[in-house]
């Protein structure tokens, strides 16, 4: 999932959530999820609020913090190995820019219709990738672990989930995202077949397998559905959230890129209409929307001067200056279509929380849990787990 600014949710969710309660299982508490089971905590890129994204150390920490699933974003190396990186462009997540031996690899490539400059995983063999080290891509987070951790392969992530789950006495799932499938197909590095072959080696081929595969594109998920029964999730993006809380849909974040290539006029928002969700159900088991699609937030302009109010008086405008609005019908509509809803991305820093939450990330989680989300992608899985267990 891509990095987004973000804010969230209002207070009249409790009544809505009560109406969403599904038939639960067993003697435990009923949750307003599709199944009635407790919502999942998904370690977004590991425990990325604490350690660099997509490292074995970060995934291990997420598991120790109670994550039910860990999430590797997958890109392919030059020799066709699936590795865990947020994007094909590895400039911002590794120390490659400081490596003199790879200076000549700096180049420009077009990803989803946008030209980027940097170093790209597909220009490196796995052996070369293994000489690089991960860095924290968000400047406001702890940089002290930069340069310490290797870039893992998908196999290493799967092995870690299995071994750490055995130590913890529970099953830990893996939630891979196929990053920019069209881009990889154009390089002759189709991700899906490589992913399926790897999962098959681990015996992960059914809905009961501890794996969920996600993508922002559609045609590759449709292809996967013809090849496997593991759970699939349609991700839903946007460019930004407007001042009034509505979604901004600007290319390349306006629609699945395979829609853009095919000339399909539908947008990401189209996928979350009742009709769109019904179609998603034909090839996927769930949807993964950016949070504002579920509970939007808006800026305040009390003076009607066209400028957002600085609600906390700190001299800057960020999510702390937004207020939560009423929930949309997306969760209810998705559940009605038989789809679970896993929302992204939950971050605990005060500047990434709407004013309603008063700096308390658990308050945001609680609002979404009350709404009925079936899982949350969190950079801070310990906070998500604590909120769920509250």
């Amino acid at each position: 999932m891509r990095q987004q600014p973000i804010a969230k949710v209002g207070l009249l969710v409790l009544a809505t959530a009560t109406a969403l309660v599904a038939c639960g299982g067993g003697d435990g508490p009923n949750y307003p999820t599709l199944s009635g089971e407790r919502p999942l905590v998904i370690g977004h890129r590991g425990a990325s609020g604490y350690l660099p994204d997509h490292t074995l150390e970060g995934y291990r920490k997420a598991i120790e913090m109670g994550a039910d699933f860990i999430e590797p974003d997958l890109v392919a190396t030059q020799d066709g190995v699936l590795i865990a990186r947020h994007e094909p462009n590895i400039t911002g997540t590794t120390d490659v820019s400081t490596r003199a031996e790879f200076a000549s690899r700096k180049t420009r490539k077009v990803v989803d219709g946008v030209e980027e400059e940097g170093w790209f995983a597909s220009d490196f063999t796995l052996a070369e990738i293994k000489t690089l080290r991960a860095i924290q891509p968000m400047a406001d987070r702890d940089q002290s672990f930069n340069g310490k951790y290797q870039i893992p392969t998908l196999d290493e992530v799967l092995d870690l989930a299995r071994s750490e789950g055995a130590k913890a006495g529970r099953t830990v799932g893996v939630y891979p995202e196929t990053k920019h499938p069209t881009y990889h197909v154009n390089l002759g590095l189709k991700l899906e077949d490589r992913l399926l072959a790897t999962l098959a080696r681990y015996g992960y081929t059914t809905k009961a397998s501890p794996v969920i595969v996600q993508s922002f594109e559609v045609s590759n998920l449709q292809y996967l559905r013809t090849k496997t029964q593991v759970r699939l999730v349609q991700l839903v993006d946007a460019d930004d959230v407007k001042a009034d809380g509505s979604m901004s849909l600007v290319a390349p974040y306006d629609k699945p890129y395979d829609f853009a290539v095919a000339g399909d006029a539908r947008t990401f928002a189209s996928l979350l209409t009742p009709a769109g969700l019904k179609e998603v159900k034909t090839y996927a088991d769930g949807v993964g929307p950016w949070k504002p699609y579920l509970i939007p937030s808006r800026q305040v302009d009390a003076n009607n001067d066209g400028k957002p109010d600085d609600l906390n008086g700190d001299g800057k405008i960020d999510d702390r200056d937004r207020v939560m609005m009423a929930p949309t019908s997306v969760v209810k509509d998705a559940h009605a279509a038989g789809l679970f809803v896993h929302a992204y991305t939950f971050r605990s820093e005060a500047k990434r929380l709407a004013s309603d939450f008063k700096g308390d990330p658990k308050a945001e989680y609680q609002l979404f849990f009350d709404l009925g989300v079936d899982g949350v992608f969190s950079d801070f899985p310990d906070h998500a787990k604590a909120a769920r267990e509250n």
Side-chain angles (χ1 to χ4, degrees):
M1 263 140 243
R2 71 190 190 87
Q3 258 156 220
Q4 292 276 18
I6 229 161
K8 237 74 209 116
V9 175
L11 288 181
L12 33 133
V13 153
L14 224 43
T16 305
T18 303
L20 290 175
V21 176
C23 296
D27 300 320
N30 251 318
Y31 293 87
T33 55
L34 177 64
S35 66
E37 301 296 321
R38 67 181 189 175
L40 296 176
V41 171
I42 303 151
H44 183 239
R45 310 178 198 166
S48 54
Y50 300 98
L51 294 174
D53 298 0
H54 300 305
T55 60
L56 292 181
E57 292 77 8
Y59 294 132
R60 184 178 293 110
K61 189 174 187 70
I63 295 168
E64 291 171 353
M65 289 178 164
D68 302 298
F69 278 75
I70 52 176
E71 187 225 14
D73 295 332
L74 301 180
V75 301
T77 64
Q78 188 178 68
D79 42 353
V81 180
L82 297 181
I83 61 170
R85 284 295 87 192
H86 181 232
E87 293 288 338
N89 189 336
I90 59 175
T91 308
T93 61
T94 73
D95 61 359
V96 66
S97 67
T98 70
R99 299 297 187 91
E101 66 270 32
F102 296 129
S104 64
R105 305 281 180 92
K106 189 176 186 180
T107 186
R108 292 179 178 272
K109 292 184 187 290
V110 176
V111 181
D112 290 4
V114 178
E115 186 177 72
E116 299 180 14
E117 184 178 50
W119 288 261
F120 294 79
S122 57
D123 292 333
F124 293 77
T125 65
L126 177 61
E128 290 172 328
I129 288 288
K130 283 296 185 180
T131 69
L132 302 176
R133 295 296 180 267
I135 62 173
Q136 169 60 254
M138 299 180 74
D140 61 333
R141 289 182 174 171
D142 187 354
Q143 303 290 310
S144 66
F145 297 95
N146 289 355
K148 294 185 177 181
Y149 305 140
Q150 286 191 346
I151 285 58
T153 64
L154 173 60
D155 292 79
E156 289 172 328
V157 177
L158 290 166
D159 288 340
L160 178 81
R162 187 173 274 180
S163 62
E164 292 297 313
K167 288 180 189 176
R170 62 189 179 89
T171 299
V172 175
V174 179
Y175 207 130
E177 179 187 345
T178 57
K179 298 296 293 193
H180 304 285
T182 297
Y183 166 85
H184 280 95
V185 165
N186 291 339
L187 292 176
L189 295 169
K190 187 172 181 177
L191 300 176
E192 289 69 30
D193 290 337
R194 289 172 167 80
L195 173 58
L196 290 173
T198 300
L199 295 180
R201 290 201 305 273
Y202 287 79
Y204 297 158
T205 59
T206 73
K207 285 195 190 304
S209 300
V211 172
I212 303 174
V213 178
Q214 56 180 329
S215 179
F216 282 108
E217 294 191 26
V218 172
S219 55
N220 66 315
L221 290 174
Q222 292 172 329
Y223 171 79
L224 284 167
R225 179 48 75 226
T226 69
K227 301 291 184 180
T228 183
Q229 287 305 304
V230 299
R231 288 164 288 177
L232 305 178
V233 166
Q234 176 66 63
L235 296 174
V236 181
D237 207 354
D239 174 65
D240 205 344
V241 183
K242 297 179 183 179
D244 66 358
S246 62
M247 306 305 292
S248 171
L249 296 169
V250 177
Y253 306 112
D254 58 332
K255 63 178 62 180
Y257 187 62
D258 53 329
F259 279 15
V261 171
D264 192 320
R266 289 175 296 168
T267 66
F268 277 119
S270 304
L271 299 177
L272 295 181
T273 64
L277 290 164
K278 184 177 180 181
E279 181 176 346
V280 169
K281 179 59 178 173
T282 66
Y283 62 85
D285 303 278
V287 289
W290 187 24
K291 294 187 299 181
Y293 278 109
L294 308 182
I295 312 174
S297 67
R298 62 177 177 83
Q299 293 177 337
V300 177
D301 180 10
N303 299 322
N304 293 314
D305 59 2
K307 298 178 182 179
D309 293 351
D310 180 8
L311 297 183
N312 64 351
D314 65 353
K316 61 186 77 169
I317 299 297
D318 55 28
D319 286 344
R320 288 172 288 195
D321 303 301
R322 301 183 74 97
V323 297
M324 299 310 300
M325 301 167 65
T328 69
S329 66
V330 169
V331 171
K332 180 183 71 172
D333 294 340
H335 285 174
L339 295 163
F340 58 76
V341 181
H342 293 166
Y344 71 91
T345 302
F346 289 78
R347 295 177 167 127
S348 295
E349 293 93 349
K351 70 179 184 181
R352 298 186 170 102
L353 296 168
S355 61
D356 304 58
F357 306 125
K358 297 178 171 54
D360 179 9
K362 295 185 187 68
E364 182 185 31
Y365 288 112
Q366 199 62 59
L367 187 59
F368 280 84
F369 290 151
D370 289 343
L371 180 61
V373 296
D374 303 273
V376 292
F377 288 89
S378 174
D379 288 4
F380 299 83
D382 52 337
H383 296 169
K385 182 175 184 290
R388 182 184 67 187
E389 305 308 319
N390 183 7

